[in-house]
Amino acid sequence: MTRHVPVAADHVVTVDDEGRRTGTFERSAVHTTETPLHLAFSCYVLDDTGRLLLTRRALAKRTWPGVWTNSFCGHPRWTETTEESITRHAQHELGLRVVDLEVAVPGFRYRAVDASGVVENEICPVYTARAVGDVEPNPDEVMELAWAAPGDVVRAVDATPWAFSPWMVLQIAALRAAVATGEGPTAQLAAALGSPTV
């Protein structure tokens, strides 16, 4: 790939195998058949009743358009912490404020290839959070959304993994295995998802 650019407003941060930052790429150019390893995050948002927010990716998305996935994902900018990026993306994609942000699966990493051959290749820690207020999705990012009981989500993912983003399928398994204490959203979600069967 030859589209390496200096830090700009819309970019992803590339990393080496150890997760050390190595540079940036234009976000619009980074996802190809040879996508370099880069930083991302996934966030799972609960409401006051314990329901999990699922979103369906807009058809204009470069990877996995129209596929159901977790609440939202994104890429931190060079100048941001992951937490700052999550706050920014929650507002941009969902018109939503999130609180009680917790890292649930810090070391999550995956590589997947969609039907068009475009690759996702990310170090992508998984976070949980609680929603404040109503969701107002950005149609450029989200075409549909649903609030669902976490147990129903597990059953749907187990029965039809092909209907969900590949990272969500892997992350749900990781969240079910997460050891979480206290009363935060990670502990609440892990308990509601149930332990994985062996």
Side-chain angles (χ1 to χ4, degrees), residues 1-192:
M1 300 185 72
T2 59
R3 301 285 302 261
H4 189 268
V5 295
V7 173
D10 195 12
H11 63 274
V12 302
V13 177
T14 55
V15 291
D16 63 18
D17 279 339
E18 304 302 317
R20 293 180 296 248
R21 293 177 177 216
T22 58
T24 63
F25 264 91
E26 292 178 64
R27 188 174 69 84
S28 62
V30 75
H31 294 103
T32 68
T33 57
E34 300 175 10
T35 303
L37 184 62
H38 59 278
L39 294 180
F41 68 83
S42 286
C43 191
Y44 288 73
V45 177
L46 298 175
D47 70 4
D48 290 340
T49 67
R51 296 180 304 169
L52 177 62
L53 176 62
L54 302 180
T55 58
R56 189 172 174 208
R57 292 167 63 81
L59 293 177
K61 299 290 275 184
R62 180 144 174 83
T63 58
W64 283 273
V67 171
W68 283 95
T69 192
N70 58 291
S71 306
F72 65 101
C73 300
H75 304 96
R77 293 176 178 163
W78 187 275
T79 56
E80 289 179 319
T81 65
T82 302
E83 292 78 9
E84 288 169 339
S85 181
I86 290 170
T87 299
R88 176 173 58 83
H89 277 273
Q91 182 61 46
H92 169 73
E93 294 192 20
L94 298 170
L96 182 66
R97 187 166 74 89
V98 293
V99 295
D100 298 337
L101 192 61
E102 296 178 343
V103 61
V105 187
F108 185 79
R109 177 177 172 173
Y110 77 101
R111 184 181 187 279
V113 184
D114 82 355
S116 71
V118 175
V119 173
E120 280 285 14
N121 187 19
E122 298 179 335
I123 292 178
C124 182
V126 180
Y127 283 75
T128 59
R130 296 189 200 282
V132 177
D134 296 329
V135 181
E136 298 180 12
N138 178 343
D140 292 335
E141 302 287 346
V142 173
M143 64 184 297
E144 200 171 350
L145 61 84
W147 289 99
D152 291 343
V153 173
V154 168
R155 285 185 285 278
V157 169
D158 286 348
T160 58
W162 40 264
F164 298 90
S165 69
W167 58 90
M168 180 180 166
V169 174
L170 296 169
Q171 289 168 356
I172 288 290
L175 285 164
R176 294 180 75 192
V179 177
T181 58
E183 299 178 359
T186 301
Q188 183 182 2
L189 182 57

